[in-house]
Amino acid sequence: MTEFKILSDKYKQERQNDYNIIYNNLLSSIINMFEFSGLPESVDTHMLMRYMFANGLCAIPLTVDNPPVCLCTLGGDIDPYGYGTEVIATTQNGKSYRGKIGVDFAVFKNNTYMYPEFYILQTAKLLTEIRTSLKCNVINSRLAPMGKAKNDAEKTSLETGFEQIYKGKPYVVKSLPDWQDTNDNPVINFTDVKNSAYIPYLSQLEDDILQKFYYHYGINLKNENKRAQVNTEELQGADALVWTVPLMHLAELEKGIEMLRTVYPEAAVSFGGVWKKEFESYIANIDGNISGNTTENESEGGENENN
C-alpha cells in the first residue's frame, strides 16, 4: 500500500469520525425534546426516541411482560393507504415479535410517512464539511517554512538555523552562504499565516447552521439574542413557525401513547427539558396577547358607547 493510499484512507476515516460525532451530538441533543410517564420500567425512552428519529418507526409489544422498544417494519394486509397492518419487530439481541398494530403493538412513527429524520443527516453532513474547512485553514495558517539548499553545507546551515529559531536562541555562522549575496530566497512557504483571518467566518457559519438546526426543532436562538429588539407580534410569528415540527412529532407520539394506554392507562408524553419551558412561554405569550387584545377591544367599545 502506497503512502498516499494510507494517508487518503486516514483522511476518509477522520472525516467519517467527524461525521459520526456530529450526527450523534445532534441526535442526542433533540432526543430530550419529550418526557414520558406511566410507561413500564423496561421501556428505555431514549432508545424509543433514537429509533424513531433514526429509523422512522419503532414499536413496543403489548402482550409480553417487561416489553422492550423494538425496531420494526410493517407487513401483512395493507390498509387503504397502502401501509401494512402488522408489525414485524426485533430487538438488538435478535429477539423477534409479530402482531397487529394497536392490538399487539403500540407503534411510534417519526412522521406521517414514517421517514427517518433526514434533516439531522443533512445538517451533520454540512457541519462535517465546515469542520474539515476549519481544520484545513488552521493547518494552512501554521507557519511552516521550507528551506531550499544548493548543497549539503547550506542544508546543514538552514537546519541548524531553524532549530535555533524554534528554541528562541540566536544563531551565528562563520560566513554567509552564497545565496545571501543574490536575490534567490532560500526559504519558501507552502502555508500562509494570513489564512487565519478566514477562520472566524467559518466559525460563524458553523454557528449559523446550528442555529438553523435548533430553530427547526423548536428553539429560536435568534429570538433569544434579540428579544429586546423585536415587538410582540414579531416574536409570536417566529415562535409559531418554530413549533411546527416539534408539534408534529408530539402528535405522532401521542398516537403511539394512545395505543399503549390499552395496557398501561397512565402512559403520557409531553414536551420536556428546555422545550417544556419554551413551549409554556410561547403559550403564555399567546394567552397574554389574546387577553390584552380583548381588554383593549372592550375598552374601546365602552368608550364608543359613552360617546
Side-chain angles (χ1 to χ4, degrees):
M1 183 178 291
T2 65
E3 184 176 356
F4 174 80
K5 182 68 166 60
I6 294 173
L7 291 174
S8 177
D9 290 345
K10 182 180 178 182
Y11 170 74
K12 291 177 182 178
Q13 186 59 50
E14 286 179 355
R15 280 173 59 85
Q16 186 61 49
N17 289 341
D18 284 344
Y19 174 83
N20 292 341
I21 291 169
I22 292 169
Y23 174 83
N24 281 303
N25 283 343
L26 293 175
L27 181 59
S28 297
S29 69
I30 64 170
I31 277 177
N32 297 312
M33 189 185 303
F34 303 100
E35 60 184 22
F36 299 82
S37 62
L39 275 62
E41 293 183 1
S42 58
V43 171
D44 186 331
T45 56
H46 277 191
M47 293 307 294
L48 188 155
M49 295 304 302
R50 180 175 288 273
Y51 287 169
M52 194 182 81
F53 281 143
N55 300 282
L57 189 67
C58 64
I60 297 175
L62 298 175
T63 57
V64 300
D65 295 330
N66 301 316
V69 181
C70 302
L71 294 168
C72 70
T73 58
L74 300 184
D77 296 334
I78 61 173
D79 64 17
Y81 302 100
Y83 296 116
T85 57
E86 290 187 3
V87 176
I88 304 163
T90 58
T91 60
Q92 292 285 13
N93 62 3
K95 194 168 184 177
S96 61
Y97 305 90
R98 183 165 186 155
K100 289 285 186 179
I101 296 175
V103 177
D104 303 302
F105 286 92
V107 174
F108 295 84
K109 302 176 183 178
N110 185 46
N111 47 54
T112 305
Y113 303 104
M114 294 174 282
Y115 290 158
E117 203 61 18
F118 291 125
Y119 193 69
I120 305 177
L121 301 171
Q122 184 185 51
T123 303
K125 183 178 179 180
L126 187 54
L127 288 174
T128 302
E129 296 299 330
I130 295 172
R131 191 68 54 85
T132 301
S133 296
L134 276 167
K135 285 182 180 179
C136 289
N137 268 271
V138 169
I139 292 172
N140 285 306
S141 64
R142 182 181 299 165
L143 184 62
M146 184 177 73
K148 182 174 61 176
K150 295 179 181 178
N151 50 55
D152 289 342
E154 288 187 6
K155 180 176 181 294
T156 301
S157 179
L158 286 169
E159 287 174 346
T160 305
F162 284 141
E163 183 179 349
Q164 294 299 100
I165 289 170
Y166 293 144
K167 290 179 180 179
K169 298 180 179 180
Y171 176 53
V172 180
V173 292
K174 292 176 61 177
S175 61
L176 296 174
D178 294 340
W179 48 259
Q180 189 66 34
D181 301 322
T182 68
N183 292 325
D184 186 19
N185 191 337
V187 179
I188 59 176
N189 288 287
F190 285 132
T191 59
D192 186 351
V193 294
K194 295 191 294 295
N195 282 340
S196 60
Y198 299 104
I199 292 176
Y201 295 102
L202 288 168
S203 182
Q204 182 60 52
L205 178 59
E206 185 176 43
D207 289 345
D208 290 344
I209 297 300
L210 282 171
Q211 186 179 87
K212 185 177 180 181
F213 175 81
Y214 287 110
Y215 182 93
H216 184 79
Y217 291 108
I219 306 299
N220 194 354
L221 298 176
K222 183 177 292 187
N223 274 358
E224 290 297 326
N225 295 331
K226 296 185 177 181
R227 284 189 179 272
Q229 304 173 26
V230 296
N231 58 39
T232 302
E233 289 75 14
E234 289 173 328
L235 279 174
Q236 290 178 346
D239 286 344
L241 182 60
V242 85
W243 285 105
T244 303
V245 172
L247 285 170
M248 178 270 293
H249 286 308
L250 180 61
E252 292 299 330
L253 281 170
E254 287 176 338
K255 293 176 184 177
I257 290 294
E258 192 64 31
M259 298 180 204
L260 204 59
R261 287 197 188 110
T262 59
V263 178
Y264 303 96
E266 301 300 319
V269 61
S270 61
F271 286 117
V274 66
W275 284 269
K276 181 177 182 179
K277 178 182 176 183
E278 289 293 318
F279 189 66
E280 289 173 351
S281 176
Y282 166 59
I283 295 300
N285 286 337
I286 292 177
D287 291 343
N289 190 48
I290 292 173
S291 175
N293 288 339
T294 302
T295 303
E296 184 178 339
N297 292 335
E298 290 174 352
S299 177
E300 289 176 355
E303 290 176 1
N304 291 335
E305 288 176 3
N306 292 332
N307 290 335

